[in-house]
Amino acid sequence: MSQRRKKNSSDGETKPRTSFVNKFFRSSKLRPTKAESRKKSNDLEAADFQPSDDTQRTENILDTAKPLTSEMELGSRMEKNEQFLQKLGRKSVNKCLDLNNCGLTTEDVREVVALLPLLPDLEKLDISWNDLIGGTLHSVTQQMHLVSKLKILRLGSCRLTTDDVRALGEALEAIPELEELNLSWNSKVGGNLPLILQKFQEGSKIQTLELIDCNLTSEDGAFVGQLLPMMQNLEVLDLSINRNIGGSLNSIAQGLKSTSNLKVLKLHSCGLSQKSVRILDAAFRYLCELRKLDLSCNKELGGGFEDSSAQLAMLEHLEVLDLHQCSLTVDDVMSLTQVIPLLSSLQELDLSANKKMGGSSENLLSRLRFLPALKSLLINNCALQSETFTALAEASAHLPALEVFDLSWNKCIGGNLKLLLETLKFSESLQVLRLSSCSLVTEDVAVLASLIQTGHLAKLQKLILSYNDSICDTGWAIFCQNMWFLKELTELDISLRPSTSRDCGQWFRHLLCAVTTLPKITEIGMKRWILPATQEEELERFHQDHRCSIHFDLGEFQEADFPRLN
């Protein structure tokens, strides 16, 4: 066991905890005698011995789940199981067993198997992100009939083997109440998906199916399409990062027509092409409840929206649309200009990393004013030009709910930030503003400081101004002198570009003074700023005097972490 686990185990011995027995068997009257207690202790010591032979170890795993023969044995096992959960730093809850990212070993799986007979009412089992349990899942699945009420099963990133996949397929029949299945980041699922899901029957209660980065084949995609009509309760389907399923999109789209309750569809990086938009568009009319659509990082999608986006406008409940890095063309933008403003429920829009938008999106960005519910707008790295930025700035005045605004990597903003800030001063909700690598100049941060000084942007929590190397020391001084108005600020980044470094000016003292008045700030990014010896001393005194938990990230040059002392 790691040091972390040993520490948790030690903590569990010294801190009082609610008995495992009391939590799971409140009505039982298990009061072992002293003789029974001694035998219980001996049983625990004997159980700690594990043979090194893999075959014998598998038999021991299964032996753990044999029927209990006496109350004494039951009490002994429950006490050991409680110690097991304490060792992992997890609490025992009769309907939820969450062992996500616990670094489980083969021996730990043995303990999990021992727990299952004690949890007849278990509804959630999460053993995701435990890489070492691959090859042992069959010992768990053989006990699935003991937890037939299970509704949520998460096995993401467990390095499942083909045998694990086959065993899981056989076990799913024993848990008919299953509503959520997550097998993401298990490459052996690819090519074997029918082995897992073939026993799903029509009327399945599955509501969430997540198969992210499972190395799915085109045949797997076709199988999903055939399976979808049986999952009419499906609300979330995530097939992201399966680049080979684009060729079977016809089958998937045909199946989607039978999932009228679908609320989330994620096809991020799935090898979609121009014709994929037309195929999906035909299915959208049947997805009236869709809330979230993610088609991002499909670089061959560009050009597909030109004549095939009409049905997208029918998604009247759509709240999230993600089209970042889709190589949108000028004609795509023109088509989307007619569609996106009609999505009146839209709350999050991501058009980032579509560089051809730069000179053709003036009308689209201007019409964003018709989306009053918009909370998050990401248009970073879109090569915006002066006209498109002006249109966006004017539209932002009509977005009162905006909380997250990312305009990073649009160089035209430098020297023109005043256009945006004139409208943002009406925003009472903005929490995150990202302006990284926007070629900002001293005048821009001076205007920003003036806006902050007048009490605007009072709810700002994250302000990213990194990679704007043209701002002189005077500009940073003006900004830092007015930072103290941002009482909700938790993160500030003013790092320099990777290719440069610079000595801090006298403004650093103003920064330290401002930080003392910001009760929530925890992170200050200052990579590649070099502190002279005198300023290092100031930083050390600041730590000693104020005892606050703030991380000054100075990158490879210097770094300072200050723990909060209670």
Side-chain angles (χ1 to χ4, degrees), residues 523-542:
E523 184 78 19
I524 299 179
M526 294 183 59
K527 290 181 180 179
R528 289 164 292 279
W529 285 104
I530 302 175
L531 299 182
T534 55
Q535 292 181 342
E536 283 188 5
E537 293 174 1
E538 288 182 41
L539 196 56
E540 180 60 28
R541 285 197 300 271
F542 169 84

Side-chain angles (χ1 to χ4, degrees), residues 322-333:
D322 191 344
L323 297 175
H324 83 265
Q325 204 169 349
C326 283
S327 301
L328 297 180
T329 66
V330 173
D331 289 333
D332 285 331
V333 173

Side-chain angles (χ1 to χ4, degrees), residues 125-235:
L125 175 60
D126 187 351
I127 52 178
S128 299
W129 300 100
N130 288 289
D131 291 347
L132 300 180
I133 69 173
T136 66
L137 188 66
H138 62 284
S139 62
V140 178
T141 58
Q142 287 182 11
Q143 309 304 318
M144 283 298 186
H145 63 283
L146 301 174
V147 288
S148 58
K149 297 179 182 179
L150 199 66
K151 294 182 179 181
I152 299 173
L153 179 58
R154 295 175 181 166
L155 299 168
S157 191
C158 287
R159 293 190 181 179
L160 300 184
T161 65
T162 302
D163 288 340
D164 291 331
V165 168
R166 183 178 293 107
L168 179 60
E170 295 171 355
L172 288 182
E173 195 172 20
I175 43 178
E177 302 298 317
L178 195 64
E179 296 178 357
E180 177 182 332
L181 178 61
N182 188 339
L183 302 175
S184 300
W185 298 289
N186 286 292
S187 61
K188 293 298 182 181
V189 171
N192 295 303
L193 193 61
L195 293 178
I196 305 174
L197 305 182
Q198 62 185 347
K199 294 188 178 180
F200 275 8
Q201 301 296 321
E202 187 169 357
S204 165
K205 294 185 179 181
I206 285 288
Q207 296 178 12
T208 299
L209 180 60
E210 295 179 300
L211 301 169
I212 305 167
D213 197 10
C214 282
N215 197 29
L216 298 185
T217 64
S218 182
E219 291 75 16
D220 290 327
F223 175 76
V224 170
Q226 297 168 10
L227 191 65
L228 286 174
M230 300 182 187
M231 298 190 290
Q232 296 184 4
N233 293 307
L234 194 65
E235 295 184 359

